[in-house]
Amino acid sequence: MRVVFLLVALGIGLVFYLSWVPNPDMGLVWFVPDWIANWTDARANGDLRTAVPFVFLGLITGVWLFRLQKSSVWWLATLVGLTGIAAIAEAGQIAMPHRHFSWADIGWGGVGSFLGLLVAYGGMQTLKWLKVSL
């Protein structure tokens, strides 16, 4: 349980950090590998790159929700909460001269969260059906 909270906190912290660095060029962030920076900095991936960390956050929280047998209300609240994280990250960019607020990024954060939750649910249901325990 602690590992889940740690991973989610690290993921959210990473989203905020990368959203609030002064320059959106990920090639300038010291810990981002070149192959990731090249992909994220490509113009074609500008908005899509926002979805990636949210897919992982959705996966982690989805597995946790499934294992605790939480109701659909929890799943929906998690989706809204993760999308809210994207909105907060975007709102923080309003006052930054080289960053800009983007409704599309909030949408991509929501899409990534939904996909992560969906894959987690489907994967856990499949494992349950196959009688594989984690």
Side-chain angles (χ1 to χ4, degrees), residues 24-27 34-49:
D25 184 358
M26 290 297 110
D34 289 340
W35 66 273
I36 293 176
N38 290 335
W39 183 84
T40 60
D41 291 340
R43 188 175 214 50
N45 300 324
D47 290 328
L48 180 60
R49 75 184 193 171

Side-chain angles (χ1 to χ4, degrees), residues 74-95:
W74 277 82
W75 288 79
L76 181 60
T78 300
L79 176 60
V80 170
L82 290 173
T83 305
I85 297 295
I88 293 167
E90 284 301 305
Q93 295 179 5
I94 290 173

Side-chain angles (χ1 to χ4, degrees), residues 95-133:
M96 301 179 79
H98 299 291
R99 303 300 298 253
H100 68 280
F101 178 89
S102 169
W103 287 106
D105 280 352
I106 296 170
W108 279 110
V111 168
S113 299
F114 178 78
L115 288 175
L117 289 166
L118 185 65
V119 169
Y121 184 81
M124 294 300 285
Q125 281 287 37
T126 301
L127 292 175
K128 182 179 173 183
W129 180 72
L130 294 172
K131 299 187 188 319
V132 175
S133 64

Side-chain angles (χ1 to χ4, degrees), residues 17-26 28-29 93 96-100:
Y17 177 78
L18 293 175
S19 295
W20 296 339
V21 292
N23 191 316
D25 184 358
M26 290 297 110
L28 300 175
V29 179
Q93 295 179 5
M96 301 179 79
H98 299 291
R99 303 300 298 253
H100 68 280

